[in-house]
Amino acid sequence: MSTVCVIGSGYVGLTTAACFAHVGHTVVCTDIDEARIARLNGGECPILEQGLDNLLREGLAGGRLRFVAGNAAAAEAEFVYLCVPTPQGADGSADLSFIEAAAAEIGPILAPDTVVINKSTVPVGSTRVVERVLGRSDVHVVSNPEFLREGTAVHDFLNPDRIVIGADDQSAAVRVASLYLGIAAPLIVTDPASAETIKYAANAFLATKISFANAVAAVCEAVGADIGDVVLGMGYDRRIGSEFLRPGPGWGGSCFPKDSRALVHIAETAGYDFGLLKGVITVNDEQFERVAAKVVDAAGGSVEGVKVAAWGLTFKARTDDLRDSPALAIIDRLRAAGARVVAYDPSIEEGGVPAGDKRAALLDGIEVAADPYAACEGAEALVVLTEWDEFRWLDFDKVAEVMAGKRVVDARNLLDREALRRRGFSYAGVGRV
Ligand code: UDX
């Protein structure tokens, strides 16, 4: 068993810390935010992530997991994971200032032979940047990218499709591999630049699959085909696979938008014009426009002064994350066209998030209703933006009763269109009539 220090208690850091404690290591997780550390030590899980609260409590109770403010604890660890944010800079590049600040702080205090691991999504070449900032020839720097999906991060950590380790030093790579005790997965040991590229390329490819499905959905609408059957028929081809071919309002979240732009920037800096990936991003921006246009059409050509109900605000279901949410991008467009949008989301309370919550600014100007029916009261049109399962099982007679106009735009192809049409609704999905 090893001693691990995880710097950063965001969703990657927290999941990494709790899962390493779960497999038996002694883990200390740090953050600059003292209030967050106090809440974590009290067993309070600050993010909605299936299974994470149980692992937190298990780790705290067993004494294998603790949280401390500041980064001094790195001095006691054999392994130090850097899990700090890499936000998008103004030019699309990833901003490394948090990683550099953490590395500068721990450089002088690390014990000889410590392995420092980049887990944040970092531009190709960042392993070298960390090495330089640490300034320690007796410390190893390794890249070990994460492939965690929000909502299933714990499951993804403990049941990965693969573990990728990028290191110049084989013995450091083997030491990092040994942390994944009892976790069976193909292990890829490579150089740091390749490991960093794997992470970007994997996310960009998944975004490409979704944009491809959304583009084919547009073709389906034009030729009268059904995207549901088309992706089913494509997905059975094992070379294609059925995952990440679900059409929708466009992709979003904390990773795909930021990482795809960063990869375009990395390529550009290296002298390659990644036109394909630029196209993938353009298709995604167009998808927001296409969905907003469907709502305008449903409302009879204009939403000026029209009340529109929106179901779903988060970037996908089973998370409370609003960062780069396609739902918000579409609502913004509707509001810019003059609509009054009243939304409902199972993860957001009536009236929105409390003041001081980081997400408050994102909800500026959007009314948040207490339940899906209240959002629909007096609305001319309803748009479904996030695929929360509970939306399928609502009482659509009641929805019909409270709405002023019976019009539904289903950007997730979630609802039973026949059942809606039987009730007199007009229905527009994505890539199907
Ligand atoms: C993603 C990657 O999956 C993960 O491996 C990486 O480490 C972080 O980024 P996450 O951001 O949690 O994870 O979201 P994901 O489940 O991948 O969905 C991303 C976006 O694509 C969401 O907006 C989702 O609604 C959309 N999506 C996904 C589709 O529109 N269609 C699909 O078929 C799949």
Side-chain angles (χ1 to χ4, degrees), residues 322-411:
L322 297 171
R323 284 176 293 175
D324 266 313
S325 172
L328 297 180
I330 291 161
I331 290 172
D332 269 357
R333 284 163 173 76
L334 293 173
R335 293 189 56 234
R340 175 186 159 213
V341 179
V342 181
Y344 168 72
D345 188 286
S347 75
I348 313 277
E349 278 172 34
E350 181 181 10
V353 295
D357 186 312
K358 276 187 201 152
R359 298 171 300 168
L362 298 173
L363 294 176
D364 219 19
I366 304 171
E367 295 168 56
V368 183
D371 64 64
Y373 305 108
C376 286
E377 244 160 67
E380 293 292 342
L382 163 66
V383 57
V384 180
L385 294 169
T386 310
E387 76 285 21
W388 291 100
D389 202 48
E390 62 184 81
F391 294 156
R392 287 139 87 83
W393 316 112
L394 294 173
D395 177 352
F396 286 94
D397 290 322
K398 192 166 162 189
V399 174
E401 231 168 76
V402 298
M403 284 184 77
K406 294 200 273 182
R407 307 176 184 98
V408 174
V409 173
D410 182 1

Side-chain angles (χ1 to χ4, degrees), residues 286-321:
E286 284 169 4
Q287 194 66 2
F288 303 154
E289 297 289 345
R290 290 179 64 84
V291 173
K294 280 174 198 281
V295 178
V296 172
D297 272 0
S302 167
V303 287
E304 180 72 57
V306 167
K307 180 177 171 188
V308 174
W311 284 356
L313 290 166
T314 53
F315 82 99
K316 65 176 186 180
R318 292 172 294 282
T319 174
D320 56 2
D321 200 338

Side-chain angles (χ1 to χ4, degrees), residues 6-20:
V6 177
I7 295 187
S9 67
Y11 114 95
V12 173
L14 213 46
T15 306
T16 302
C19 289
F20 275 147

Side-chain angles (χ1 to χ4, degrees), residues 11 146-150 199 203 206 210 214 243-256 315-316 326 387 412:
Y11 114 95
E146 52 85 16
F147 302 98
L148 310 174
R149 288 165 300 176
E150 284 187 31
K199 167 71 196 201
N203 271 356
L206 292 170
I210 304 167
N214 285 334
E243 288 192 54
F244 279 68
L245 276 182
R246 227 177 34 247
W251 39 265
S254 64
C255 289
F256 284 0
F315 82 99
K316 65 176 186 180
E387 76 285 21
R412 295 278 183 175

Side-chain angles (χ1 to χ4, degrees), residues 124-125 127-128 143 166-168 190-198:
V124 181
T127 303
R128 302 273 173 265
S143 161
D168 291 321
T190 181
D191 59 278
S194 301
E196 290 159 351
T197 307
I198 288 169

